[in-house]
Amino acid sequence: GTMEGDEGINHSTAEGLAKLKPVMDGGTVTFGGQTHPADGNAGLIVTTAAKARELSRDPKIAVRLHGFGLARAALAHMPEATVPAAKQALAQAGKTIKDMAAIKTHNPFAINDIFFARQTGADLKTMNNFGCSLVWGHPQAPMGTRAIIEVIEELALRGGGWGLFTGCAAGDTAMAVLALNDHVLKGADLLPGWLTGKLSDFAGLLFFPLLCTALPDTVLALTRAPWDPTLRMWKAVTACL
């Protein structure tokens, strides 16, 4: 069958959340600030540039991958790892957080985004505009893929610009990727030359399967399916030039 929307979404109020007991005595984290277990999946197709343009509803759109980050925080400080990962990706592209038109995070806990915004200066109110792991649930590996696809789509809706995805993972680690949605395909120079050979650090990371297909000189061409705001169904096609 077809799902009409994401399951597991609970409506709440600030007053209701304030009544929840913290997980630890004297703490601030409650069950109202974390995600829920969920089933889900996401996928990408690796194909040629010509096929990607053929499948895309807007073949003029190209997405350049400009920066990557991988970091590890101290033991049991997983939410903090997204900050250095994002800073690495931004530094590789020569950009700042203020340059980002869209920011998407894998945030199984609300504290992840609060910490990230305080440390980077990101506007908490403009992050994750169309949902995030906190809302969707946590089916493990697909979360990074879905979030990146939604960053690409949000940039397409905005007419282009820079987007950042960052997310925590097991072992107090985090990964980040910086993308530029450019509405003109420019051929084999879509990625800077320094990127060659930089992706081996991500090999085998099931949490972030997109990076395993993001080879040098790769274009992400997006196809947008009819969608309901509560169930964003995207398809991304990677075209290796």
Side-chain angles (χ1 to χ4, degrees):
T2 301
M3 292 179 59
E4 296 181 356
D6 287 309
E7 297 178 337
I9 298 176
N10 295 307
H11 298 281
S12 59
T13 64
E15 294 76 17
L17 292 171
K19 295 177 181 179
L20 296 177
K21 182 180 179 181
V23 177
M24 300 177 63
D25 291 338
T28 59
V29 177
T30 71
F31 290 109
Q34 70 177 58
T35 191
H36 58 278
D39 295 323
N41 213 332
L44 298 165
I45 301 173
V46 179
T47 185
T48 64
K51 188 64 175 179
R53 286 191 288 270
E54 176 187 338
L55 294 175
S56 177
R57 290 197 173 188
D58 189 347
K60 296 187 300 296
I61 295 178
V63 178
R64 311 181 191 189
L65 303 181
H66 279 262
F68 298 89
L70 174 62
R72 189 171 190 175
L75 182 65
H77 288 73
M78 179 182 63
E80 298 180 7
T82 58
V83 174
K87 288 183 176 180
Q88 285 182 21
L90 289 166
Q92 282 189 352
K95 296 296 178 181
T96 69
I97 201 73
K98 300 298 183 182
D99 295 318
M100 299 300 104
I103 298 175
K104 182 78 71 173
T105 63
H106 169 60
N107 52 357
F109 303 96
I111 189 65
N112 288 44
D113 287 347
I114 295 173
F115 182 83
F116 181 85
R118 288 178 177 177
Q119 293 295 312
T120 63
D123 184 355
L124 189 62
K125 295 181 180 180
T126 62
M127 294 166 52
N128 297 313
N129 289 321
F130 297 100
C132 56
S133 306
L134 195 62
V135 177
W136 307 325
H138 198 314
Q140 305 299 331
M143 305 320 299
T145 302
R146 174 171 176 170
I148 292 172
I149 293 171
E150 291 207 2
V151 167
I152 294 170
E153 177 65 9
E154 182 174 348
L155 293 174
L157 293 174
R158 291 174 175 272
W162 291 90
L164 171 69
F165 165 76
T166 185
C168 61
D172 302 299
T173 62
M175 286 141 279
V177 61
L178 200 70
L180 171 63
N181 187 318
D182 190 347
H183 274 57
V184 180
L185 284 170
K186 296 181 180 179
D189 62 342
L190 285 171
L191 287 180
W194 56 258
L195 191 54
T196 304
K198 295 294 185 181
L199 300 182
S200 59
D201 292 341
F202 298 96
L205 292 174
L206 296 180
F207 167 79
F208 204 1
L210 175 63
L211 294 183
C212 296
T213 63
L215 300 174
D217 299 331
T218 294
V219 181
L220 296 183
L222 184 69
T223 67
R224 293 198 291 278
W227 55 279
D228 181 281
T230 60
L231 179 61
R232 303 176 61 77
M233 301 179 66
W234 314 121
K235 296 179 181 179
V237 181
T238 61
C240 302
L241 301 182

